Amino acid sequence: MERLIAGAAKLGLRLSPRQVEQFQLYYQELVEWNKRVNLTAIADYEGVQVKHFLDSLSVTLALEEGGMVGGGDFRLLDVGAGAGLPGLPLKILYPGLNLVLLDSTAKKTAFLRHLSARLGLEDVEVETGRAEELAHQSRYREQFDVVVSRAVAVLPSLVELTLPFCRVGGIFIAQKKGQIGQEIEEAARAIGILGGELREVRRVELEGLEEHLLVVVAKRSPTPQRYPRRPGIPSRRHL
Ligand code: SAM
């Protein structure tokens, strides 16, 4: 895990031997399950360390500014977590985190349940379902300090899948790559309707993660009850 340890140090994060062991076990389980379940196209040792684990930890750059770190005692939701990215690396980093991992694919959530137990993580809830539906349940709606999402949808539909989960005063962080100026412009109207405000677009400056960006949206007011719309609508008809 040398590449991960070195990259984390650049983020000002020192990983303990236990955390390094957990990342190593995460890697092994990912590769093993990936033979049967389509979890990731990146499964080489170096790629997983940098493009999955370190990339996930880069979210801390936005958490610090949001004043959310403090030992990790906050509620975080990962929408479309897939193989657990970025949610599970953040949980390994902040053991005190209260984490919910959401994905619509049962095979992936089976992996997430298996892995959370294998890593000995507490306070991790795994939900199988569509964000469009779960965001209307009172136990999830506007309940999270931080909502994160990576590689799930373009920003105009992604904000409809994520902002309803954020409490007022909380933040949504989207991990994005490349040229996203137009995507951000197209999401501006949706962000406003959903009660959000674009706070910043932060560039991640780490070797192997060039062009990676964190789009941070602050939740300013409650999301109107009719959002998100029915499954599939947010991606077909942007707000
Ligand atoms: N976040 C992970 C990563 O970066 O490796 C997984 C990304 S994968 C490309 C997108 C994931 O989002 C898939 O696992 C898919 O099942 C999930 N997903 C897509 N739309 C969703 C929705 N509306 N509600 C819940 N999960 C969704």
Side-chain angles (χ1 to χ4, degrees):
M1 288 285 130
E2 294 304 318
R3 286 293 310 270
L4 174 62
I5 294 167
K10 295 218 167 80
L11 288 169
L13 306 170
R14 186 136 49 93
L15 300 177
S16 70
R18 163 113 180 102
Q19 287 167 325
V20 173
E21 208 176 282
Q22 286 175 310
F23 278 113
Q24 180 66 33
L25 196 50
Y26 192 162
Y27 165 73
Q28 286 163 0
E29 293 288 339
L30 182 68
V31 169
E32 196 50 41
W33 274 64
N34 208 35
K35 292 175 188 160
R36 288 176 283 127
V37 180
N38 184 14
L39 291 171
T40 176
I42 299 165
D44 64 288
Y45 191 50
E46 183 154 333
V48 171
Q49 289 181 64
V50 177
K51 297 197 176 114
H52 283 337
F53 297 162
L54 184 60
D55 186 37
S56 298
L57 296 186
S58 73
V59 169
T60 56
L61 291 167
L63 289 177
E64 278 162 21
E65 299 217 347
M68 293 292 176
V69 178
D73 55 346
F74 53 91
R75 276 201 100 188
L76 185 141
L77 170 72
D78 185 347
V79 174
L85 305 156
L88 276 178
L90 292 170
K91 173 68 181 171
I92 293 173
L93 183 69
Y94 304 128
L97 195 66
N98 182 305
L99 175 67
V100 178
L101 300 167
L102 161 62
D103 203 284
S104 53
T105 307
K107 283 183 181 166
K108 294 186 179 179
T109 50
F111 170 70
L112 295 174
R113 285 194 188 97
H114 164 80
L115 184 63
S116 304
R118 190 85 175 80
L119 296 178
L121 301 175
E122 287 169 6
D123 266 343
V124 179
E125 202 182 315
V126 179
E127 273 286 354
T128 311
R130 301 276 310 209
E132 294 94 321
E133 290 170 338
L134 289 165
H136 287 286
Q137 294 183 7
S138 56
R139 66 192 171 123
Y140 291 132
R141 191 173 182 86
E142 310 209 308
Q143 295 298 315
F144 294 89
D145 303 297
V146 181
V147 178
V148 293
S149 194
R150 188 183 87 153
V152 172
V154 291
L155 213 48
S157 54
L158 188 60
V159 288
E160 189 172 347
L161 302 180
T162 54
L163 276 176
F165 290 104
C166 259
R167 70 166 170 82
V168 173
I171 54 172
F172 164 53
I173 305 167
Q175 292 192 270
K176 288 278 166 189
K177 269 196 256 182
Q179 301 297 322
I180 57 157
Q182 193 179 343
E183 202 179 317
I184 290 177
E185 262 174 45
E186 286 168 7
R189 191 179 125 82
I191 291 173
I193 291 174
L194 297 162
E197 183 184 271
L198 181 66
R199 182 185 282 173
E200 66 163 336
V201 180
R202 184 164 181 154
R203 190 167 290 281
V204 176
E205 282 161 17
L206 287 171
E207 202 186 318
L209 299 177
E210 292 82 8
E211 306 260 297
H212 286 226
L213 303 157
L214 301 172
V215 179
V216 186
V217 178
K219 181 81 174 264
R220 293 282 180 229
S221 55
T223 299
Q225 205 52 45
R226 61 184 177 282
Y227 302 114
R229 293 164 293 167
R230 281 180 292 115
I233 305 289
S235 59
R236 282 205 296 277
R237 279 195 279 123
H238 296 164
L239 283 175

